Amino acid sequence: MNIFTDIRSVVIAALDAMVADGALPPGLSFANVTAEPPRDAAHGDMATNAAMVLAKAAGKAPRDIADTLVARLVTNAQIETAEVAGPGFINLRLVESVWTGVVGEVVSAGEGYGRSDLGTGTKVNVEYVSANPTGPLHVGHTRGAVFGDALASLLDFAGYEVTREYYINDGGAQVDVLARSVYLRYLEAHGQEVAFEDGTYPGDYLKPVGEALKEKVGDAYLDKGEDVWLEDVRGFATEAMMVLIREDLAAIGVKMDRFYSEKSLYGTGRIEDAIEELKKRDLIYRGTLEAPKGKVPEDWEPREQTLFRSTAHGDDVDRPIMKSDGDWTYFAPDIAYHWDKISRGYDALIDVFGADHGGYVKRMKAAVSALSDGKVTLDIKLTQLVKLYKDGEPFKMSKRAGTFVTLRDVVDQVGSDVARFVMLTRKNDAPLDFDFAKAVEGSKDNPVFYVQYAHARTCSMMRSAEGLGAKPADTVNLEYAGELAIVRKIAEWPRLVEIAARTNEPHRIAFYLYELASEFNSFYSSGKEFPERKFVKEDDIPGTASKLPLVSAVRTVIANGLNVLGVTPAEEM
RNA sequence: GGCCCCGUAGCUCAGCGGAUAGAGCAACCGCCUCCUAAGCGGUAGGUCAUAGGUUCGACUCCUAUCGGGGCCGCCA
């Protein structure tokens, strides 16, 4: 139930009736007619722009349309008053039973309140994290993980059929580097002195992997060349890293539906198949790219390569898919991977990348557009940098200085709930300041605690009421403006879910929850000065019972929102 | 040079083409003998970077310019 779409339907029905009796000309589009919460609550409960949107096409003054529409709207049982205001808005005030109905709806729908059928019948694949399997996840990955996971949950809540997927980059040169680094640790495990030169990973996290390798193969790889051990160690090391990464993901509450290996694309003809699809569409050719303007690499020389005509699908230049030595570029398996996703029948693909992959967006979209003949949409969400602060001071990460901040560091210090919420209180494409000190602080400065606290408070109130023997009444009794303000906010929840899902912006949920908590806390506090406004009154059990549905509804909506974000709704604090 | 993102209150940021642009922090003034003060109320603070355009209506869409960041052929 979404009262905004309900009332919009009422408005549309009234407009249809006006067309039927000649008050409006036939053939008008009502697509842009909205029913929205007004910015200023003094304007009423809801406003529609119908008269202004239709005035031009109908060849009538907004005022004339509005007057006729108002006359029809007031006959609706849900509408108390309707009046024309400003440039032609129609402000609606709804009858009180609508609001008590909303509360009843929330209570009976419970965790289903706000679920939408927006995405029903649409299959979406959300690919996120996809960090190279060469080490533990760091803070940047954490943001991508949290964002992608919340987005996936949001889309699921909005009715989409969602797959959460991780693309393992286990096919490129970085895995060779990993294997060599593990080999050094292996030698070390055998008591040899080793030096980590540039181009190897010196991190301690590979020590146990080297030891595990020793356990497995004994001294078989000692004093042997890469031709003997490289391939095996590559697989062994990648496997070990993925175990590490899965643990990291679990620590922050991320569970993937599928891990997809880049390596599985090689030697199976699948890359070739995908490229063949592009060839069929005449999008592959041999050619030479021009040097990039402005900043030209020093060793630039023109070279003939195999290119994908991505410019035919909106890219700025065509892109190489094969190196001059005949190997695939990174782009080629990526094309194959997306071709695979398309073949699996998704209607929409979403990739969550770090901002440093910004240059990759157009070519990837071009590939998906080409391979699906424009039928499958690809939305790429780039997550910006996380700037770390400790005690208000910027905190620089450096692998060399050992100040490399991992996902584990974050979770260990502030916990999964806090890390997730904080990272979702910013748009994905805005940089994020993350202050360890503030994150664990229990103050209003920290939105996590504010929202959690409001939820805990509703739980506490329900417990006290139960202790008094008060059971929630069937119908809520709404007496004060502050109570109505809370209900209005609650009524916006289903609408907000749809907006957030349509724009792929889970941060809207976090901001909404803060607003709802604020509305609730505000009215709660007025109970200090006006004891009659308290929800739980020891000397008035029926009165208490008549307020409990509202308290319960607030609890439900906050819990539903936090669940979408993957944050635990705490019952006590 | 090209492409992408950002520019909104002193600071950090919200804002689905709609009315007088919002919140938190910081500043100032108030409010706690318990429905969880980890809070609440109030005051002050704005040429929404700039200039055009589209529109009944622009912080929102388009174009240009300025400023900040990122990326830019065999690295993934």
Side-chain angles (χ1 to χ4, degrees):
Chain A
M1 163 171 160
N2 180 337
I3 59 165
F4 296 94
T5 52
D6 289 355
I7 297 297
R8 181 175 183 274
S9 305
V10 170
V11 172
I12 299 294
L15 291 170
D16 282 335
M18 285 169 66
V19 172
D21 67 13
L24 285 174
L28 288 174
S29 165
F30 299 148
N32 293 327
V33 172
T34 59
E36 299 178 311
R39 199 190 289 272
D40 186 344
H43 290 140
D45 298 322
M46 210 176 281
T48 177
N49 60 358
M52 290 179 292
V53 172
L54 300 174
K56 198 170 185 184
K60 287 175 177 284
R63 193 93 202 173
D64 292 343
I65 299 175
D67 286 340
T68 319
L69 184 55
V70 160
R72 287 192 174 275
L73 289 176
V74 291
T75 63
N76 185 283
Q78 292 180 287
I79 296 173
E80 175 93 56
T81 63
E83 46 195 44
V84 187
F89 285 101
I90 298 172
N91 289 326
L92 305 175
R93 204 167 284 281
L94 306 181
V95 298
E96 193 185 305
S97 65
V98 170
W99 301 118
T100 56
V102 166
V103 175
E105 172 74 18
V106 178
V107 171
S108 65
E111 63 184 26
Y113 178 65
R115 278 197 179 273
S116 166
D117 58 3
L118 180 72
T120 303
T122 306
K123 280 181 71 176
V124 184
N125 181 291
V126 185
E127 181 208 328
Y128 56 111
V129 193
S130 297
N132 289 343
T134 54
L137 300 179
H138 59 67
V139 216
H141 297 131
T142 310
R143 187 174 186 189
V146 167
F147 174 82
D149 201 55
L151 174 57
S153 299
L154 168 62
L155 293 175
D156 178 82
F157 198 66
Y160 293 87
E161 193 183 320
V162 180
T163 303
R164 299 151 191 255
E165 197 156 311
Y166 186 120
Y167 181 58
I168 309 171
N169 292 119
D170 53 3
Q174 78 282 4
V175 185
D176 290 342
V177 174
L178 173 72
R180 291 186 189 110
S181 308
V182 167
Y183 185 72
L184 288 174
R185 290 298 182 189
Y186 163 79
L187 296 179
E188 196 179 47
H190 277 284
Q192 299 190 17
E193 285 274 323
V194 296
F196 287 88
E197 293 161 9
D198 279 357
T200 53
Y201 303 132
D204 287 346
Y205 59 89
L206 292 180
K207 277 185 184 166
V209 185
E211 277 162 22
L213 183 62
K214 181 187 167 193
E215 285 289 307
K216 189 189 160 207
V217 304
D219 53 11
Y221 292 160
L222 288 177
D223 305 316
K224 295 287 190 324
E226 281 193 7
D227 53 322
V228 175
W229 53 262
L230 187 65
E231 192 174 336
D232 181 46
V233 175
R234 210 162 44 190
F236 183 80
T238 312
E239 203 53 46
M241 290 304 101
M242 285 314 296
V243 168
L244 203 65
I245 288 172
R246 282 171 200 256
E247 286 169 3
D248 281 351
L249 291 175
I252 199 143
V254 172
K255 192 168 179 299
M256 294 287 172
D257 296 313
R258 179 162 186 171
F259 288 83
Y260 194 104
S261 160
E262 177 193 355
K263 207 172 117 197
S264 73
L265 292 164
Y266 289 97
T268 55
R270 299 167 82 169
I271 296 179
E272 291 76 4
D273 287 350
I275 301 304
E276 186 58 34
E277 286 298 317
L278 293 175
K279 267 190 192 151
K280 276 190 214 160
R281 293 164 174 83
D282 192 29
L283 294 169
I284 300 293
Y285 69 102
R286 294 287 293 176
T288 307
L289 289 174
E290 284 178 32
K293 290 179 178 160
K295 188 190 155 201
V296 181
E298 287 171 21
D299 59 345
W300 171 269
E301 55 184 63
R303 240 181 237 115
E304 199 186 53
Q305 292 169 301
T306 303
L307 302 171
F308 163 45
R309 200 187 307 283
S310 54
T311 48
H313 288 267
D315 202 356
D316 307 307
V317 293
D318 291 341
R319 305 290 179 177
I321 55 164
M322 200 178 262
K323 303 178 199 171
S324 51
D325 65 4
D327 281 354
W328 297 114
T329 63
Y330 176 76
F331 189 32
D334 242 1
I335 291 173
Y337 174 44
H338 282 76
W339 168 237
D340 185 86
K341 288 199 254 190
I342 292 166
S343 307
R344 279 187 266 152
Y346 292 105
D347 302 292
L349 306 178
I350 298 174
D351 291 351
V352 179
F353 292 160
D356 55 340
H357 286 61
Y360 217 66
V361 171
K362 283 195 177 183
R363 75 189 71 171
M364 214 59 252
K365 285 191 174 183
V368 169
S369 169
L371 289 168
S372 71
D373 297 312
K375 291 192 186 91
V376 175
T377 61
L378 170 64
D379 189 10
I380 298 185
K381 306 296 273 187
L382 300 175
T383 53
Q384 274 290 347
L385 293 176
V386 178
K387 281 189 267 178
L388 292 171
Y389 291 83
K390 257 181 179 164
D391 309 318
E393 291 297 311
F395 185 77
K396 285 247 164 131
M397 286 214 302
S398 158
K399 269 187 184 175
R400 216 165 266 171
T403 54
F404 186 72
V405 179
T406 64
L407 179 147
R408 280 312 175 90
D409 294 334
V410 175
V411 173
D412 288 348
Q413 289 201 36
V414 308
S416 170
D417 285 338
V418 171
R420 291 184 71 117
F421 199 98
V422 170
M423 292 197 166
L424 290 166
T425 49
R426 206 101 311 172
K427 273 187 299 203
N428 60 290
D429 47 15
L432 168 81
D433 292 344
F434 192 94
D435 189 316
F436 282 98
K438 264 188 192 165
V440 290
E441 191 177 298
S443 77
K444 208 178 163 189
D445 207 5
N446 182 351
V448 194
F449 281 87
Y450 190 73
V451 172
Q452 289 271 39
Y453 195 72
H455 182 267
R457 183 175 265 167
T458 58
C459 292
S460 161
M461 291 163 75
M462 296 300 283
R463 284 193 298 267
S464 328
E466 194 179 350
L468 294 173
K471 291 214 170 75
D474 291 337
T475 306
V476 70
N477 175 27
L478 300 173
E479 304 169 83
Y480 305 101
E483 292 174 331
L484 275 170
I486 295 169
V487 179
R488 277 199 202 92
K489 205 73 207 169
I490 285 172
E492 282 180 36
W493 171 240
R495 180 172 183 274
L496 185 104
V497 169
E498 294 196 353
I499 291 172
R502 251 196 290 268
T503 52
N504 294 333
E505 293 182 338
H507 75 274
R508 289 171 187 273
I509 305 287
F511 282 93
Y512 169 84
L513 291 176
Y514 188 87
E515 289 166 15
L516 174 59
S518 177
E519 207 68 75
F520 178 68
N521 282 336
S522 171
F523 182 74
Y524 171 89
S525 296
S526 70
K528 299 272 179 248
E529 197 178 346
F530 307 100
E532 69 274 16
R533 296 190 190 172
K534 289 186 178 181
F535 293 116
V536 178
K537 301 191 202 61
E538 287 182 26
D539 55 355
D540 182 3
I541 304 307
T544 300
S546 75
K547 298 296 183 187
L548 290 183
L550 177 57
V551 178
S552 169
V554 171
R555 182 180 63 178
T556 297
V557 175
I558 295 180
N560 290 0
L562 288 175
N563 281 330
V564 168
L565 301 184
V567 177
T568 318
E571 304 205 349
E572 276 182 281
M573 293 182 78

